[in-house]
Amino acid sequence: MRGKGCLLAGVGLLVLAAIVFFWGSGRYNDMVKANNDVLEKWANVETVYQKRANLIPNLERTVKSYAKYEQETLTQVIEARAKATSVNIDPTNMTEADMAKFQQAQSQLSGALGKLLVVVEKYPDLKADQQYINFQREYTAIENSIRSETVYYNGSVKGFNNLVETFPGNIVAAFFPKFKSKPTFKSEAGAEKAPSVF
């Protein structure tokens, strides 16, 4: 009778171990899929920012031919582009500080481009130039893509973070360092205030 009890206890432990194993491997697989989704969305974000940076040499050539006196503004755009494209982030090990550094560099480029676009308003011939018109269309489309891709990225991060931060996923995540919470894009400081129109 005692041997039968030990056998049942052994079988019970094996069944329990099998349940824990299959549950844990299922959770692990869900985390792998969610992590890969975050990495894919991050790659899309980087792609649209790079596409925007790639537009700048064409803008530079077009603007230089018209706005010879606005060299300082154009130089600011070129320098901001160089800084923005030099920020490299490892998406598998991204921190809040990495995200802030990336956003700051991209924000500086956006600001420099915005300043240049205001300066261009002084040059009616440039505004009518077909290359500049093409640039404006493409730039507008890319800015819209940037907004969309950052929203998709944040949604993907939310799903991943929910998976690794909530019980019981946090138990599985604790055993695998690659499954740590990921940062999201945040609005720029002062974005909560409406701009003054008048």
Side-chain angles (χ1 to χ4, degrees):
M1 190 73 154
R2 189 171 181 192
K4 196 173 185 181
C6 286
L7 180 65
L8 285 175
V11 169
L13 284 175
L14 282 175
V15 168
L16 182 61
I19 289 170
V20 169
F21 172 78
F22 286 113
W23 169 83
S25 63
R27 271 300 187 182
Y28 177 85
N29 290 339
D30 290 343
M31 288 180 191
V32 167
K33 291 174 190 172
N35 188 50
N36 288 339
D37 187 49
V38 170
L39 297 179
E40 176 191 13
K41 299 296 191 292
W42 177 254
N44 292 344
V45 166
E46 286 184 317
T47 299
V48 291
Y49 275 116
Q50 185 60 51
K51 192 172 180 183
R52 179 177 75 169
N54 291 345
L55 275 180
I56 292 173
N58 291 338
L59 173 66
E60 178 186 3
R61 284 190 292 278
T62 304
V63 171
K64 267 186 177 176
S65 62
Y66 284 95
K68 295 186 181 2
Y69 303 107
E70 303 296 346
Q71 189 60 42
E72 180 184 339
T73 306
L74 195 53
T75 301
Q76 289 173 353
V77 170
I78 295 163
E79 288 171 356
R81 176 189 183 265
K83 185 174 182 182
T85 56
S86 71
V87 175
N88 294 317
I89 294 178
D90 176 8
T92 60
N93 199 21
M94 193 183 322
T95 64
E96 290 286 341
D98 292 336
M99 180 62 81
K101 184 178 174 184
F102 181 83
Q103 281 191 260
Q104 181 183 21
Q106 295 300 333
S107 180
Q108 287 175 344
L109 179 56
S110 294
L113 278 168
K115 193 173 176 183
L116 181 63
L117 295 177
V118 168
V119 165
V120 164
E121 293 297 316
K122 297 180 190 175
Y123 300 92
D125 292 343
L126 174 57
K127 287 189 339 187
D129 184 272
Q130 191 59 48
Q131 283 183 314
Y132 182 75
I133 292 169
N134 292 343
F135 163 79
Q136 266 192 313
R137 281 190 196 124
E138 199 167 348
Y139 178 72
T140 301
I142 288 172
E143 286 296 321
N144 289 333
S145 293
I146 287 171
R147 283 183 202 85
S148 296
E149 294 301 337
T150 56
V151 167
Y152 298 148
Y153 170 80
N154 280 351
S156 179
V157 167
K158 177 185 175 189
F160 176 80
N161 287 351
N162 285 342
L163 192 59
V164 301
E165 292 174 1
T166 58
F167 182 80
N170 60 346
I171 294 171
V172 175
F175 290 102
F176 301 97
K178 70 179 182 177
F179 296 134
K180 62 181 184 178
S181 298
K182 305 215 183 277
T184 57
F185 276 89
K186 297 186 176 33
S187 60
E188 292 180 36
E192 70 280 358
K193 297 177 186 170
S196 175
V197 179
F198 299 103

